[in-house]
């Protein structure tokens, strides 16, 4: 009897009908009242009791396979028939769903920062990622051999030390001053490159946003007020900023900007290492040497500049603890930002 069951099973599996009528015919022949399966069921009644268990299971499997196969074939042939009724196929059939992606948190943060500064009248400027020494260093008051060049580990293009991957978006300041007479008010997002070992807090590729404002009578007070507005827009109305004296070759005076820690409200916690403050950017008044190197009269004009890492701002705002997450593109990480902005 096992042989008979297996033989019918093989025929069910090999059945390749061309029309729905063939399927129906097959169904009656196999599963109908007087069909082959029922004949086997009759035979089953007569087998020895010790064989019943095993054979019963085989019969059940045969029945289920036959039912499933007939239903599938029926649906396939119906769909094919519908496809043939119009040139475009059956337009009522459900399509294949494409998984929906999301914007990268770095793009979202960049867009948000650009949006805040555009409300203050800034326009977006761009520059090349492969730069020359002049735009990245010399025009920004880094003389040759100046130790400040070591503040940023540079990738040089082999054989030509004049050509390099920009280490900061400050190079776009230079391109803007070359291109345009004051007033200049630009925000410059871009990718930057540094020869650093990759860890949770450093990467050899990351993103910065540079700001530059040059006009008659621009003061440090204007800088401070603009950055306070920015900090409140990004981290919340209750946010305070403080400035600490610092050094950059292209600004004088220079400062580091901190925002009050948005996790502990300034009381001190693990994220702000007990200080109540988080460092977010560097800034300062454009050094007169930089203005004159770029053909702008420092007697007539003054300006301020600032620069920040986009990854860092997003890390502080969203509590991302490992910079490498931004580069791995795991959708479980990326989707968390769908509703964050
Ligand atoms: N270029 C600096 C860096 O990459 C950031 C910076 C500091 C930019 C001060 C500025 C500035 O425009 O004024 O570390």
């Amino acid at each position: 009897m096992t042989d008979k069951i297996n033989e019918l099973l093989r025929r069910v599996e090999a059945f390749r009908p061309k029309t729905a009528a063939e399927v129906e015919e097959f169904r009656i022949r196999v599963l109908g009242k007087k069909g082959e399966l029922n004949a086997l069921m009759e035979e089953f009644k007569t087998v020895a009791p010790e064989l019943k268990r095993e054979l019963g299971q085989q019969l059940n499997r045969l029945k289920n396979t036959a039912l499933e196969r007939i239903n599938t074939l029926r649906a396939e042939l119906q769909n094919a028939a519908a496809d043939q009724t119009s040139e475009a196929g059956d337009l009522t059939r459900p399509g294949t769903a494409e998984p929906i992606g999301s914007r990268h948190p770095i793009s979202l943060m960049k867009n948000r920062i650009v949006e805040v500064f555009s409300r203050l009248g800034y326009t977006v400027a761009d520059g090349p990622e492969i730069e020359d020494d002049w735009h990245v260093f010399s025009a920004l008051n880094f003389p040759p051999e100046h130790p400040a060049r070591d503040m940023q580990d540079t990738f040089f293009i082999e054989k030509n030390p004049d050509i390099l991957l920009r280490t900061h978006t400050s190079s776009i300041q230079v391109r803007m001053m070359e291109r345009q007479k004051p007033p200049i008010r630009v925000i410059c997002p871009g990718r930057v490159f540094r020869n650093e070992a990759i860890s949770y807090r450093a990467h050899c590729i990351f993103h910065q946003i540079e700001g530059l404002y040059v006009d008659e009578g621009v003061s440090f007070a204007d800088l401070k007020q603009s950055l306070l507005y920015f900090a409140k827009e990004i981290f919340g109305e209750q946010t305070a900023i403080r400035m600490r004296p610092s050094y950059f070759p292209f600004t004088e005076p220079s400062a580091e900007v901190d925002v009050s820690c948005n996790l502990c409200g300034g009381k001190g916690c693990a994220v702000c290492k007990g200080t109540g403050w988080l460092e977010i950017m560097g800034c300062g008044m454009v050094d007169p040497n930089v203005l004159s190197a770029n053909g702008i009269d420092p007697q007539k004009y003054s300006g301020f500049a600032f620069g920040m890492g986009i990854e860092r701002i997003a890390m502080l705002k969203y509590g991302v603890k490992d910079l490498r997450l931004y580069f791995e593109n795991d959708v479980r990480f990326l989707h968390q930002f769908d509703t964050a902005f």
Side-chain angles (χ1 to χ4, degrees), residues 11-35:
R11 264 193 292 134
V12 167
E13 279 166 354
F15 181 49
R16 299 267 180 284
K18 292 205 177 53
T19 61
E22 275 177 61
V23 180
E24 183 56 11
E25 206 177 284
F26 188 75
R27 187 189 66 80
I28 294 169
R29 187 149 30 89
V30 177
L31 296 172
K33 250 202 168 93
K34 296 188 177 135

Side-chain angles (χ1 to χ4, degrees), residues 152 167-168 170 173 194 208 210 248 250-251 282-284 305-307:
Q152 303 170 356
T167 53
H168 54 182
S170 304
Q173 282 188 33
R194 289 189 196 180
Q208 286 188 333
E210 187 80 11
F248 299 101
F250 35 91
T251 43
C283 70
F306 54 88

Side-chain angles (χ1 to χ4, degrees), residues 6 11 15 31 68 93 111 113 129 132 152 190 233 275 281 339:
N6 283 340
R11 264 193 292 134
F15 181 49
L31 296 172
E68 216 172 277
R93 278 173 68 192
N111 292 347
I113 297 170
E129 293 178 346
D132 51 27
Q152 303 170 356
E233 285 296 308
T275 64
M281 69 171 103
T339 52

